[in-house]
Amino acid sequence: MGALVVVLLAPRAVDTALETPAPTHETVEVSYPDQSAVPPRAAEPTGPGAIGVVDPDWVTDTAAATGIPHQAVLAYAGAVLSAEETFPGCGLGWNTLAGIGYAESDHGRHGGATFEVNGHVSPKIFGVPLDGTSTAHIPDSDQGVFDETAEIDRAIGPMQLIPQTWASWPSDGNGDLVPDPHNIYDAALASANYLCHATTGFSTEDGWSAGVAAYNSARSYAVTVATAAQRYYDATN
């Protein structure tokens, strides 16, 4: 783990349900989290979709060690393994994706939400209206199809993607052929693909910085994600 200076300039792609500071141009020193832990693949597929390739024993052990819900761990692991195939060399650590899941919705638990058996979050998680008051200003882009309001966009689901980002990266992480931003398996895969597309790679400090800033450019965000990501790495290594 090293120290890097992150200049947060990129426009945000999401907005968190927990905090909604507007984008900034501030400089902050962040501890770069270790990205070397790769989720093990199952010897044989255990089910459909991206989540079917993850070793189930690793998921159980990681959930117990970190306190992250079992379904969220499975979603993050399947997503990074799949994204690495789509974007070779991305190097996104499952712990960084988990750090983002923590920052965005406490791994799908914001407001008392829980996971259904199929990975859907209930009740659905929505961010505040992105009307420019304390957030970026993002006009309605989906006529309320995803965020259930046609007045202004708001972030959706456990990974708090904004509707236009979800529309660009609709994903099916659990193999049910129904992409759904309110499903942790689908949302995690969409987030991983988006992150890997947004940077040259998470295995370097500059690449990590660029990827996370593309997801959310608030000064406090990189610190929150990096701190959580390193905590999850330390708990499992």
Side-chain angles (χ1 to χ4, degrees):
M1 180 176 68
L4 69 156
V5 174
V6 180
V7 181
L8 303 173
L9 299 175
R12 65 176 54 201
V14 299
D15 209 305
T16 172
L18 305 180
E19 295 181 24
T20 53
T24 70
H25 287 66
E26 298 171 281
T27 299
V28 58
E29 186 173 290
V30 181
S31 293
Y32 171 64
D34 197 309
Q35 298 290 287
S36 63
V38 178
R41 292 181 178 271
E44 298 289 340
T46 60
I51 61 175
V53 305
V54 187
D55 186 299
D57 291 335
W58 179 89
V59 175
T60 298
D61 292 345
T62 299
T66 61
I68 301 172
H70 185 279
Q71 286 165 289
V73 172
L74 178 58
Y76 302 145
V80 299
L81 288 173
S82 177
E84 187 65 28
E85 292 183 352
T86 305
F87 300 93
C90 172
L92 174 63
W94 73 267
N95 54 319
T96 286
L97 189 58
I100 288 173
Y102 166 74
E104 295 300 336
S105 70
D106 189 21
H107 309 299
R109 296 178 293 198
H110 179 67
T114 58
F115 293 118
E116 297 176 357
V117 173
N118 60 2
H120 290 324
V121 175
S122 180
K124 294 177 180 178
I125 300 173
F126 296 103
V128 300
L130 301 175
D131 57 9
T133 301
S134 61
T135 68
H137 181 266
I138 303 179
D140 177 67
S141 65
D142 69 331
Q143 294 75 54
V145 172
F146 299 124
D147 63 1
E148 299 184 4
T149 175
E151 296 181 2
I152 195 81
D153 267 355
R154 57 180 178 169
I156 50 178
M159 301 303 288
Q160 286 292 278
L161 295 157
I162 59 173
Q164 57 190 271
T165 302
W166 171 256
S168 297
W169 297 97
S171 301
D172 176 22
N174 60 1
D176 65 359
L177 305 182
V178 183
D180 186 343
H182 299 283
N183 183 289
I184 185 60
Y185 303 130
D186 299 349
L189 182 55
S191 297
N193 286 331
Y194 172 82
L195 286 162
C196 286
H197 182 263
T199 182
T200 56
F202 280 83
S203 58
T204 67
E205 296 179 357
D206 288 345
W208 189 93
S209 170
V212 173
Y215 207 90
N216 186 314
S217 62
R219 172 182 177 177
S220 60
Y221 193 78
V223 176
T224 298
V225 172
T227 302
Q230 189 62 44
R231 182 169 69 246
Y232 298 143
Y233 179 87
D234 291 341
T236 54
N237 289 274

